[in-house]
Amino acid sequence: GASRIVLALLGALVVAFLLDWTARLEVPGRVVLLAAAAGLWGYALLRFLISPLRVPMGDDELAMLVERRYPGLRDRLISTVQFARTPDVAPLSRDMVRQLTSDTLAEAAPLEFGEVASARQPVRWALAALAALAVTGAYTFRFPANAAVFARRFFAPLSAVEWPRRTQLTLVACDKDGHPLAFDGNRVSV
């Protein structure tokens, strides 16, 4: 969840940077951009971290995860877990419950329960987050002036910070032979 939040944060920052850098957004556009990014970050925090941590994981849920991974158990594990909570079954059914428990234990013994909650997917998300951090960090270190201007414009959208001009034009007046003319701001001298 934390890796997904980092990716959402960096993704929103990269999109905001590119939009502001290319379109040179004015104050209203930067305010909307900051509000949209804050909304995305709030959603990501709620969706990928807070909500999963609030879900209790009981025995039944764990049994269902195992059965989802190993469908050959055919609902035996969940039945065994539920019967174990209710030891007062009818006298004629106790033998059936004991047999079900014995069969389930024998069938589940060789299974790899580490495969039920595999770390592959979280590791992939973590690697993706690390790669995104590395790329954005490298850009920030390579072009610190761009990063600083963006940070001031994005996190303080009402500020008057402007992007530096990429092109500076200087007008030089020339006579008919191509010689520069003197210019004092208002008049051209020949």
Side-chain angles (χ1 to χ4, degrees), residues 7-25:
L7 287 169
L9 175 79
L10 291 176
L13 285 174
V14 167
V15 168
F17 173 80
L18 292 173
L19 282 173
D20 191 33
W21 189 47
T22 57
R24 311 283 184 182
L25 297 175

Side-chain angles (χ1 to χ4, degrees), residues 25-44:
L25 297 175
E26 296 297 325
V27 171
R30 293 194 317 255
V31 169
V32 168
L33 204 56
L34 179 60
L40 174 69
W41 297 334
Y43 171 77

Side-chain angles (χ1 to χ4, degrees), residues 66 70 73 77 104 106-114:
V66 171
Y70 297 108
L73 290 171
L77 183 60
T104 303
E107 198 166 328
L111 300 178
E112 292 290 331
F113 289 99

Side-chain angles (χ1 to χ4, degrees), residues 30-145:
R30 293 194 317 255
V31 169
V32 168
L33 204 56
L34 179 60
L40 174 69
W41 297 334
Y43 171 77
L45 183 66
L46 184 65
R47 169 76 171 85
F48 299 124
L49 197 59
I50 294 172
S51 291
L53 290 175
R54 295 187 67 192
V55 174
M57 185 67 89
D59 293 339
D60 291 355
E61 289 84 8
L62 289 173
M64 293 302 289
L65 280 175
V66 171
E67 288 191 359
R68 194 173 305 132
R69 173 66 177 99
Y70 297 108
L73 290 171
R74 297 180 304 279
D75 296 329
R76 288 184 188 163
L77 183 60
I78 187 66
S79 299
T80 302
V81 167
Q82 290 173 343
F83 281 132
R85 275 198 304 267
T86 56
D88 297 330
V89 292
L92 296 176
S93 301
R94 285 192 181 131
D95 290 336
M96 181 187 72
V97 171
R98 271 191 229 112
Q99 186 62 42
L100 174 66
T101 303
S102 174
D103 291 348
T104 303
L105 289 174
E107 198 166 328
L111 300 178
E112 292 290 331
F113 289 99
E115 294 293 317
V116 173
S118 174
R120 286 186 199 128
Q121 192 70 11
V123 166
R124 287 184 186 136
W125 282 110
L127 290 174
L130 285 173
L133 280 169
V135 169
T136 54
Y139 181 85
T140 301
F141 285 119
R142 175 69 175 98
F143 303 102

